[in-house]
Amino acid sequence: MLFRDLMNVNPWQEMDHIREEMNRLFNSASRPAAQFYPAMNIWTSQDAAVITAELPGYRTKDIQLSITNDELEIKGSRQQEALKDGEQYHRQERGYGEFERTLRLPFLVDTAKVDAKLENGILKLTLPRAEADKPKKIEIKTA
Amino acid sequence: MSTEKKSVQKQEALEVATVERTRSGKVFSPPVDIYERNDEIVLLADMPGVDPKTIDIMVEKNILSIQGEIYEQTPPGYELFYREYDSGDYQRSFTLNDSVDQNKIEAKYENGILKLRLPKAEKVKPKKIEVRLKT
């Protein structure tokens, strides 16, 4: 956890989180939501972060991304091809359904410059670090 | 509070031990859906991140094998911060039923999914199938 996180703990926000979590639990009991989320990798450099996720079969309209402060929310859904009469499955190993996930980013992001690309089933996000969040070198003055 | 959600994890291929590859690295077995219609069998395989040019589909005797190589995914100048999935080539084989016409198998790669259509007909000789690229 970053130092900033410790300073900014908001009890109301925490309670909201718990409530959302409870809602999700109860909702999942009534509707058959897939209990999965795509695996993600994160790379960082001094100035940016790159996040990749494997999302085969998702089209751009099936994925929603949003960034609030240093949290990235990603939602998506993949539908199964409906079988017609006389068709039957031999094997069914691929997952279907909806997922929703929130990631804490390693730093604040310049949201205006975020780039998202979907290619061959891989989602690639490039998130430039906000200028205000970049480390500053501090000169020490001699008296 | 913890939920029972878990991230999608890839299965490593089982048959690696029997046939060795010239390229090092991990090999994964793609998850597939296979369904049968009146006139054909359809196979869908999740193979995200594969370079379409490297997809290799072979039918020999009654074994259908699919392979695909991934391209480099590490962005230059970046360091890995957090990893949930590994990248590696995909490889999997299936035994085909005698009813599939091995001359007429069609393959398509789109959005990270390989789709094969295996029309039903009589048994024939080994054949290599070209991937039809969608541009």
Side-chain angles (χ1 to χ4, degrees), chain A residues 5 10 15-16 35 65-66 71 123 127 135:
Chain A
D5 299 335
N10 176 343
M15 284 183 68
D16 276 348
Q35 294 296 296
L65 296 164
S66 63
E71 285 193 349
L123 176 72
L127 307 147

Side-chain angles (χ1 to χ4, degrees), chain B residues 15-56:
Chain B
E15 64 254 274
V16 183
T18 54
V19 187
E20 279 202 81
R21 293 151 37 87
T22 51
R23 226 176 107 174
S24 66
K26 290 202 169 179
V27 181
F28 293 98
S29 175
V32 297
D33 279 359
I34 301 176
Y35 56 89
E36 186 172 351
R37 290 179 179 155
N38 288 335
D39 55 342
E40 64 181 0
I41 292 168
V42 180
L43 184 152
L44 298 168
D46 281 350
M47 293 166 68
V50 166
D51 180 349
K53 294 184 208 77
T54 65
I55 299 178
D56 217 359

Side-chain angles (χ1 to χ4, degrees), chain B residues 71-84:
Chain B
Y71 44 85
E72 185 57 43
Q73 286 174 354
T74 309
Y78 287 81
E79 274 177 41
L80 189 69
F81 178 74
Y82 177 63
R83 181 188 282 286
E84 282 181 348

Side-chain angles (χ1 to χ4, degrees), chain A residues 62-111:
Chain A
D62 300 329
I63 304 168
Q64 276 108 47
L65 296 164
S66 63
I67 297 176
T68 325
N69 297 325
D70 62 348
E71 285 193 349
L72 168 75
E73 189 185 59
I74 169 164
K75 285 186 203 174
S77 72
R78 178 165 92 160
Q79 301 307 319
Q80 188 168 20
E81 276 184 46
L83 290 193
K84 299 179 196 82
D85 276 349
E87 297 181 350
Q88 62 168 22
Y89 272 107
H90 290 204
R91 270 174 196 269
Q92 228 180 322
E93 298 168 355
R94 300 162 67 238
Y96 294 98
E98 293 171 17
F99 72 87
E100 190 179 327
R101 183 168 192 194
T102 307
L103 283 183
R104 169 68 51 92
L105 302 170
F107 42 68
L108 290 174
V109 162
D110 185 349
T111 48

Side-chain angles (χ1 to χ4, degrees), chain A residues 9-60:
Chain A
V9 170
N10 176 343
W12 298 110
Q13 202 180 343
E14 286 305 304
M15 284 183 68
D16 276 348
H17 271 301
I18 292 168
R19 202 194 55 209
E20 279 169 22
E21 208 57 55
M22 295 288 282
N23 284 344
R24 198 177 316 168
L25 271 180
F26 288 122
N27 283 341
S28 65
S30 58
R31 115 188 111 93
Q35 294 296 296
F36 74 98
Y37 55 79
M40 291 181 180
N41 287 346
I42 306 178
W43 283 273
T44 53
S45 72
Q46 280 297 320
D47 305 321
V50 168
I51 299 180
T52 58
E54 294 188 316
L55 294 167
Y58 290 78
R59 290 152 299 176
T60 46

Side-chain angles (χ1 to χ4, degrees), chain B residues 68-113:
Chain B
E69 288 173 17
I70 50 135
Y71 44 85
E72 185 57 43
Q73 286 174 354
T74 309
Y78 287 81
E79 274 177 41
L80 189 69
F81 178 74
Y82 177 63
R83 181 188 282 286
E84 282 181 348
Y85 72 88
D86 266 322
S87 294
D89 298 344
Y90 293 94
Q91 182 180 315
R92 196 161 175 184
S93 305
F94 299 92
T95 47
L96 288 183
N97 189 309
D98 281 353
S99 66
V100 171
D101 184 343
Q102 299 177 356
N103 278 312
K104 290 184 182 161
I105 298 176
E106 280 180 34
K108 197 170 80 172
Y109 182 72
E110 198 182 1
N111 289 335
I113 296 181

